[in-house]
């Protein structure tokens, strides 16, 4: 049994002695309650259709747990995020991205020997097949790098036939390594391609985040030394974005994988879902918004527009489906943001001033207070990326690089769950009742 399997095979949900009883057309039906280690219990309605002939209706999964998971816990009201029981803040401060990837995959932080072996394995998989260069060259240089990433991630399935059997734990494991290792390489290639510079090969004596910055910013013409403050900030950002339980992109990865699709295709599905502005695209939208505001004096007008529901304008980087408190990732990044800007001598950067003022005003405005709208992680990550010289089109790509560890850990957990089934939601059909086909010459 692989290490991944043994960690995931530990106990699964047991019914508590509570039940929930629903009365449907005068008939009482009881459903078992499963208690969570922390957070909300659930009641199991999988037999509801058989018992009543009815489905539940829950657009946006507002009250639906789509799976059982042991990976990440969020308490949105308290502003808590934990990976495998560890609070996010100490992980971001004291750990590193590959340790966190190990934690997400195997359930435990690595000991010294495991860390050395895991780091070595990931490092040995960072290079991509040379043929992939031609795939990149097929894209227009002005392509959005998320379009390139979705294609490049899916294309890995065409190169690595030896790890496509999703029923083989060893192949699942090697796919996990390949994805964690190669996503930064693909991300840096998508950037280099967009600016017409040569692709930079990974350098195995560098750490994960250092190597990523090296592939992004070095050129064959001169020596590039990675700034350790920036490498550490990048590593923190990757840790903070590594997993977030059943968010839209992770649920997309699970749903795609539930049909037995290979993990590279599933990652591509996750990238597509992450691209949306309500999810991973928000950090790019934050910078666009700050640019649009342009000056601290324009903030009150902008806030008025945000509060006017007819304007369709939202305060990007604020609000979260789950966090109804300060996003714990934003707390860490707020400080990292200051460190990076100080290191780069950009502490008086106008966009930061607008961001700080915007945050101050929004946190005291009854509109935001009553709706529990706090800054989320994207509010700061974009400012940090921008200071590092990363263009806004790349922001969501960096999110995808970070989230790869979470996506693949969640996918593997699902694949190892003997109760997992193909995901097949049902619907409330409100379309036309049956009608007769009308030939073209008789249609009005
Ligand atoms: N600006 C202004 N008003 C907002 C915002 C915002 N950013 N977010 C929510 N609201 C308002 C809604 O209009 C609604 O008001 P109402 O009660 O008067 O109708 C109320 O707050 C509740 O909002 P919902 O849309 O129901 O909240 P939901 O949980 O569905 O949405 C979401 C969460 C999509 C993140 C939303 O807050 C948003 O669009 N934020 C901006 C985009 C953003 O920053 N996304 C990043 C999310 S974090 C991540 O993916 C890593």
């Amino acid at each position: 049994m692989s290490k991944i399997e043994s960690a995931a095979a530990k106990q699964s949900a047991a019914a508590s002695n509570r039940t929930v009883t629903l009365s449907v057309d005068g008939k009482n039906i009881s459903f078992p309650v499963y208690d969570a280690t922390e957070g909300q219990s659930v009641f199991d309605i999988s037999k509801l259709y058989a018992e009543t002939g009815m489905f539940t209706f829950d657009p946006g999964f507002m009250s639906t747990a789509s799976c059982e998971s042991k990976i990440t816990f969020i308490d949105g009201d308290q502003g808590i995020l934990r990976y495998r029981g560890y609070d996010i803040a100490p992980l971001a401060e004291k750990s590193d991205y590959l340790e966190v990837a190990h934690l997400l995959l195997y359930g435990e932080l690595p000991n010294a020997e495991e860390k050395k072996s895991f780091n070595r394995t990931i490092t040995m998989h960072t290079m991509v097949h040379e043929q992939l260069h031609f795939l990149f060259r097929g894209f227009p240089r002005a392509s959005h790098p998320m379009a390139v990433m979705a294609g490049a991630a899916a294309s890995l399935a065409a190169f690595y036939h030896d790890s496509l059997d999703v029923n083989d734990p060893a192949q699942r494991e090697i796919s996990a390594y390949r994805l964690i290792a190669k996503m930064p390489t693909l991300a840096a290639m998508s950037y280099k391609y967009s600016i017409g510079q040569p692709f930079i090969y990974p350098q195995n004596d560098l750490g994960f985040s250092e190597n990523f910055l090296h592939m992004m910013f070095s050129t064959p013409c001169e020596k590039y030394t990675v700034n350790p403050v920036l490498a550490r900030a990048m590593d923190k950002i990757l840790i903070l974005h590594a997993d977030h339980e059943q968010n839209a992109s992770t649920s997309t990865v699970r749903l795609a994988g539930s049909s037995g699709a290979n993990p590279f295709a599933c990652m591509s599905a996750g990238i597509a879902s992450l691209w949306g502005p309500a999810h991973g695209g928000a950090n790019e939208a934050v910078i666009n918004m700050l640019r649009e505001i342009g000056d601290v004096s324009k903030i009150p007008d902008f806030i008025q527009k945000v509060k006017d529901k007819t304007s369709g304008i939202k305060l990007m980087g604020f609000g979260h489906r789950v966090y109804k408190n300060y996003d714990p990732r934003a707390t860490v990044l707020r400080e990292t943001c200051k460190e990076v800007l100080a290191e780069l001598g950009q502490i008086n950067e106008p966009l930061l001033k607008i961001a700080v003022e915007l945050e101050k005003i929004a946190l005291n405005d009854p509109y935001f207070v009553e709706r529990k709208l706090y800054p989320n992680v994207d509010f700061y990550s974009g400012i940090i990326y921008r200071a590092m010289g990363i263009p806004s089109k790349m922001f969501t790509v960096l999110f995808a690089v970070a989230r790869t560890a979470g996506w693949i850990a969640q996918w593997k957990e699902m694949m190892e769950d003997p109760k997992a089934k193909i995901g097949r939601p049902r619907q409330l059909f409100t379309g036309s009742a049956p009608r007769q086909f009308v030939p073209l010459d008789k249609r009005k």
Side-chain angles (χ1 to χ4, degrees):
M1 187 186 273
S2 83
K3 202 172 168 192
I4 296 177
E5 256 201 330
S6 61
K10 287 181 199 158
Q11 99 250 20
S12 69
S16 70
N17 48 17
R18 289 189 295 154
T19 56
V20 167
T21 304
L22 288 183
S23 178
V24 182
D25 299 332
K27 183 180 162 195
N28 285 342
I29 306 147
S30 291
F31 300 95
V33 170
Y34 303 138
D35 285 329
T37 323
E38 279 196 281
Q40 291 72 19
S41 302
V42 300
F43 62 98
D44 177 353
I45 50 130
S46 52
K47 302 275 183 310
L48 180 76
Y49 177 61
E51 296 276 357
T52 67
M54 272 199 255
F55 301 131
T56 54
F57 183 57
D58 185 18
F61 298 93
M62 299 298 285
S63 299
T64 298
S66 62
C67 65
E68 182 189 338
S69 181
K70 296 174 171 47
I71 301 175
T72 292
F73 172 71
I74 302 173
D75 182 331
D77 293 326
Q78 303 288 323
I80 291 171
L81 167 61
R82 293 192 192 113
Y83 297 159
R84 303 279 193 185
Y86 295 102
D87 276 327
I88 193 66
L91 285 175
E93 295 301 337
K94 298 175 189 161
S95 188
D96 62 52
Y97 180 70
L98 285 188
E99 274 197 358
V100 166
H102 185 284
L103 175 69
L104 292 171
L105 281 170
Y106 299 120
E108 297 297 337
L109 286 164
N111 62 28
E113 200 179 310
E114 287 164 339
K115 179 170 176 154
K116 203 170 153 201
S117 154
F118 187 70
N119 286 8
R120 179 84 189 137
T121 306
I122 297 296
T123 304
M124 294 314 288
H125 282 98
T126 49
M127 214 157 64
V128 295
H129 197 290
E130 200 67 9
Q131 187 75 15
L132 260 159
H133 291 211
F134 297 100
L135 181 97
F136 276 79
R137 291 185 206 291
F139 284 96
R141 296 250 180 211
S143 306
H144 195 291
M146 283 297 271
V148 180
M149 287 301 285
S155 83
L156 293 178
F159 291 95
Y160 301 107
H161 299 278
D162 60 343
S163 62
L164 294 185
D165 181 355
V166 297
N167 297 314
D168 177 353
Q171 294 195 35
R172 292 199 295 259
E173 201 162 18
I174 186 116
S175 295
Y177 297 150
R178 282 180 168 148
L179 277 158
I180 293 168
K182 292 181 200 305
M183 283 288 276
T185 312
L186 295 177
M189 286 171 77
S190 73
Y191 172 59
K192 287 297 196 191
Y193 185 71
S194 74
I195 56 170
Q197 286 188 6
F199 299 132
I200 300 294
Y201 288 92
Q203 201 176 302
N204 285 356
D205 58 347
L206 296 176
F208 190 83
S209 293
E210 280 179 303
N211 186 39
F212 178 57
L213 292 176
H214 155 76
M215 291 189 290
M216 285 284 291
F217 294 119
S218 76
T219 69
C221 312
E222 57 190 67
K223 192 166 161 46
Y224 173 80
T225 312
V226 181
N227 179 324
V229 175
L230 303 193
R232 185 66 199 123
M234 178 58 73
D235 215 60
K236 273 191 198 174
I237 293 178
L238 296 182
I239 292 171
L240 295 171
H241 288 81
D243 196 46
H244 214 230
E245 52 115 311
Q246 308 313 318
N247 56 84
S249 58
T250 302
S251 298
T252 303
V253 167
R254 279 187 178 256
L255 192 58
S258 75
S259 70
N262 72 70
F264 304 107
C266 296
M267 293 304 113
S268 178
I271 291 169
S273 172
L274 186 71
W275 195 355
H279 190 8
N283 51 14
E284 188 177 341
V286 168
I287 293 294
N288 294 339
M289 173 189 77
L290 296 176
R291 275 204 197 106
E292 193 191 310
I293 296 173
D295 191 82
V296 171
S297 64
K298 308 257 174 61
I299 293 176
D301 276 358
F302 183 77
I303 295 274
Q304 269 321 109
K305 275 194 239 157
V306 167
K307 291 199 268 187
D308 171 7
K309 296 281 169 179
T310 60
S311 73
I313 296 175
K314 280 195 168 171
L315 183 50
M316 299 313 286
F318 262 69
H320 197 277
R321 170 58 59 81
V322 180
Y323 294 119
K324 302 302 170 194
N325 201 325
Y326 216 98
D327 178 340
R329 301 166 300 173
T331 315
V332 176
L333 273 199
R334 197 171 193 266
E335 294 314 304
T336 310
C337 187
K338 285 185 199 149
E339 284 161 24
V340 167
L341 294 180
E343 173 70 16
L344 297 173
Q346 296 183 20
I347 207 76
N348 291 321
E349 158 64 10
L351 288 198
L352 180 70
K353 280 193 179 157
I354 300 172
V356 168
E357 192 58 25
L358 200 55
E359 185 191 18
K360 212 188 295 167
I361 293 175
L363 287 177
N364 290 301
D365 188 307
Y367 174 95
F368 299 94
V369 175
E370 281 158 18
R371 290 170 177 76
K372 299 186 177 171
L373 299 170
Y374 294 88
N376 59 49
V377 66
D378 292 320
F379 194 68
Y380 297 105
S381 57
I383 299 170
I384 301 175
Y385 291 149
R386 190 172 176 274
M388 287 180 175
I390 296 170
S392 54
K393 273 187 173 182
M394 283 297 293
F395 293 177
T396 319
V397 172
L398 296 201
F399 196 158
V401 168
R403 189 54 59 85
T404 300
W407 286 336
I408 198 73
Q410 298 268 354
W411 172 81
K412 285 200 165 283
E413 183 179 61
M414 179 189 69
M415 296 308 293
E416 286 156 7
D417 181 353
K419 296 195 297 307
K421 288 179 167 23
I422 185 168
R424 178 43 169 107
R426 307 305 288 257
Q427 65 173 7
L428 169 66
F429 178 70
T430 54
S432 174
R435 44 188 179 157
Q436 295 298 319
F437 179 79
V438 183
L440 184 58
D441 60 347
K442 302 259 166 32
R443 285 177 217 157
K444 291 184 190 134

